[in-house]
Amino acid sequence: MTKMRFPRANNLEWLRLVFAMQVVLVHTTAHIGTGTPAWLAAFPGVPAFFFVSGFLIYASYCNAPDRRYFENRFLRLFPALFLVAIGGLIVALLAKGLPDLAARPGLYFGWFFSQVTLGQAFNPAHFRDVGVGVINGSLWTITVEILFYVAVPVIVWMERNVTKHAVALLSGASFAIYVAGPAALTFRLAGKGLYEYLAITPIAWGWMFGFGMLAVKNWSRIAPNLKYFPIALVPMVAMALYGSGPLFNLSGERMGLLYFACYAGLILYAAFGIRAFPLRFDISYGTYVWHMPIINLLIVMGFPDPALAIPLVVAAAAVSWFCVEKPALALKRKSIKPVEDEVARPPQPEMEGVRG
C-alpha cells in the first residue's frame, strides 16, 4: 500500500485549537452574548475540522492498515468523551434535581449511553428546558467523525479493488447529496426527514473529508505551490459578501464548493506554508467537547456571562488534556512516522509526517 507522507513540522495542532475556539466563540456569542461577528462566521470551525480529519486520518490508515488504526482512534476520542458525558449529566441533574434521576433512570441511562457510543446527537425532549435546550449539541460532529473513521478502511479497499478514483467519486456523490438532500430527501421517518438523519453522517459531509484525502494524495503537487495559496483569501471575501448557491454559498457550516476549496487552501498554507511553532499541549478536542456543557451550566446556574464561559472552557479542556487525554494517548502507537524535512523544501516521495 502506498504510504501517505507529509512534513512533520506543521501547525495543524495550533489550527485545530483555532477551529475549536471559533466554534466556542460563535456559540458563546449566540447563546449568552450579543451576536456573532460576521467575520468570525466566515471561517467556520466544523468544516475545517472535517477537512483536517480527512487529511490526517486517511494518511494514518494508509500508513498503518491494522488494528492500531482503530485502537488509536478509540484512545483519541472516547476517554475524553466519557468524561464530558459525566459533565453533561451533572448539568442535567443541577437543572432537574436528583429526584428526576430516580424517577427516570432509563432516560438518563439511555442519554449517557448514547453520548459514549455513537448517538451523540440524541437529546431527549425532557432536556429541552435545560440551558439552550440541548445539553451538548456540538457532539453531532463526533458521530460524523466516528463514522468517517469506520468508512476509511472501506474507501481504501475500494481504491485498491474497484477504482483508484474512489475518493473523488465518493466525494462528488456526497456533495450532490449535500446540495440536493435538504429539498429532495424529505421522506419522514420517526418524525424527521431522511436528510436530517444523513446530516449526522459522512454521507452528507464526506466531501469535506474528501478534500482532505485528496490533498494528502496529491501532496507532492501541492507543496511546491503553497506560497500562492494565500491568494485564495481574495475570492473568499467576494464570495462571503456576494456569493450564493452550491458553489459560492457561505452560511455557517453550509459552504459552497468553491468557497470551501479556497478555505482548504488557506488551511494548508497556515499548516505547512509558514514557520511551524510546536504546541506542547493539545486542548483543542477538550475545548470543543466541553464548551456547550459549560455554556449550559452558566445558564442553569444563572450566570450567563461570556467573560466566565471562555476561561471555564479552557480550564475544563486543560483538565481533560492533562488528566484524561494525554495519559490515554501515551498508550497510542504511532501510525505515521516522523521525518526532519521542513515544508520549505519540496517533499520527496518517501517523506512522511505527524501522527493521525
Side-chain angles (χ1 to χ4, degrees):
M1 180 176 293
T2 302
K3 298 292 184 181
M4 297 296 165
R5 296 164 180 181
F6 52 91
R8 181 186 184 188
N10 60 67
N11 293 306
L12 285 172
E13 290 191 346
W14 275 107
L15 285 172
R16 286 188 291 197
L17 181 56
V18 170
F19 303 152
M21 288 304 302
Q22 189 274 348
V23 177
V24 172
L25 291 172
V26 166
H27 288 164
T28 301
T29 54
H31 293 300
I32 56 175
T34 56
T36 304
W39 66 268
L40 188 61
F43 301 94
V46 168
F49 273 124
F50 289 164
F51 171 73
V52 171
S53 288
F55 189 97
L56 288 175
I57 303 305
Y58 177 76
S60 178
Y61 183 78
C62 287
N63 289 350
D66 56 27
R67 68 176 186 175
R68 282 183 296 164
Y69 169 79
F70 291 104
E71 289 174 1
N72 289 349
R73 304 289 72 75
F74 178 87
L75 291 170
R76 187 66 188 96
L77 289 186
F78 283 95
L81 201 59
F82 187 85
L83 181 65
V84 79
I86 294 174
L89 179 62
I90 292 172
V91 171
L93 292 178
L94 286 172
K96 295 289 191 177
L98 285 173
D100 194 60
L101 173 61
R104 299 175 176 84
L107 182 145
Y108 281 87
F109 175 81
W111 175 84
F112 189 90
F113 182 77
S114 71
Q115 298 302 289
V116 298
T117 51
L118 196 56
Q120 289 79 21
F122 174 59
N123 188 71
H126 185 65
F127 293 153
R128 290 297 181 183
D129 60 346
V130 176
V132 303
V134 183
I135 293 175
N136 204 345
S138 296
L139 293 192
W140 68 270
T141 60
I142 304 301
T143 304
V144 177
E145 288 274 353
I146 295 170
L147 291 173
F148 171 69
Y149 296 167
V150 174
V152 166
V154 178
I155 294 170
V156 172
W157 179 88
M158 291 178 65
E159 285 186 299
R160 297 181 65 188
N161 297 282
V162 181
T163 171
K164 65 180 181 179
H165 303 296
V167 172
L169 292 172
L170 291 172
S171 298
S174 172
F175 183 73
I177 292 171
Y178 173 84
V179 171
L185 302 177
T186 57
F187 172 76
R188 300 192 71 79
L189 181 65
K192 291 186 177 182
L194 178 58
Y195 185 77
E196 293 181 74
Y197 292 102
L198 297 182
I200 55 172
T201 75
I203 294 174
W205 303 97
W207 66 279
M208 295 183 176
F209 294 94
F211 262 72
M213 291 188 282
L214 291 171
V216 74
K217 283 169 66 70
N218 293 279
W219 180 250
S220 61
R221 298 184 182 92
I222 290 172
N225 298 297
L226 278 174
K227 60 186 177 182
Y228 304 113
F229 281 26
I231 299 172
L233 188 60
V234 176
M236 283 179 68
V237 171
M239 286 184 278
L241 293 174
Y242 308 110
S244 62
L247 295 181
F248 313 115
N249 183 62
L250 172 63
S251 178
E253 283 112 20
R254 297 293 301 183
M255 304 178 74
L257 183 67
L258 292 182
Y259 189 96
F260 184 77
C262 292
Y263 190 30
L266 282 186
I267 293 170
L268 289 175
Y269 175 77
F272 300 104
I274 60 178
R275 180 182 175 185
F277 293 92
L279 187 63
R280 301 300 178 186
F281 51 87
D282 184 3
I283 63 170
S284 58
Y285 182 50
T287 297
Y288 184 82
V289 299
W290 273 100
H291 77 278
M292 283 309 302
I294 295 296
I295 289 172
N296 281 320
L297 175 65
L298 291 175
I299 294 173
V300 168
M301 300 302 292
F303 300 104
D305 188 346
L308 289 174
I310 303 302
L312 285 175
V313 169
V314 172
V319 171
S320 177
W321 170 251
F322 287 106
C323 297
V324 178
E325 295 172 61
K326 187 177 180 181
L329 291 175
L331 305 174
K332 183 177 175 181
R333 292 182 287 177
K334 305 297 183 184
S335 55
I336 304 181
K337 299 177 183 178
V339 294
E340 300 302 325
D341 303 69
E342 297 294 334
V343 70
R345 298 171 55 190
Q348 301 302 313
E350 292 301 313
M351 184 169 62
E352 52 186 314
V354 302
R355 63 175 172 81

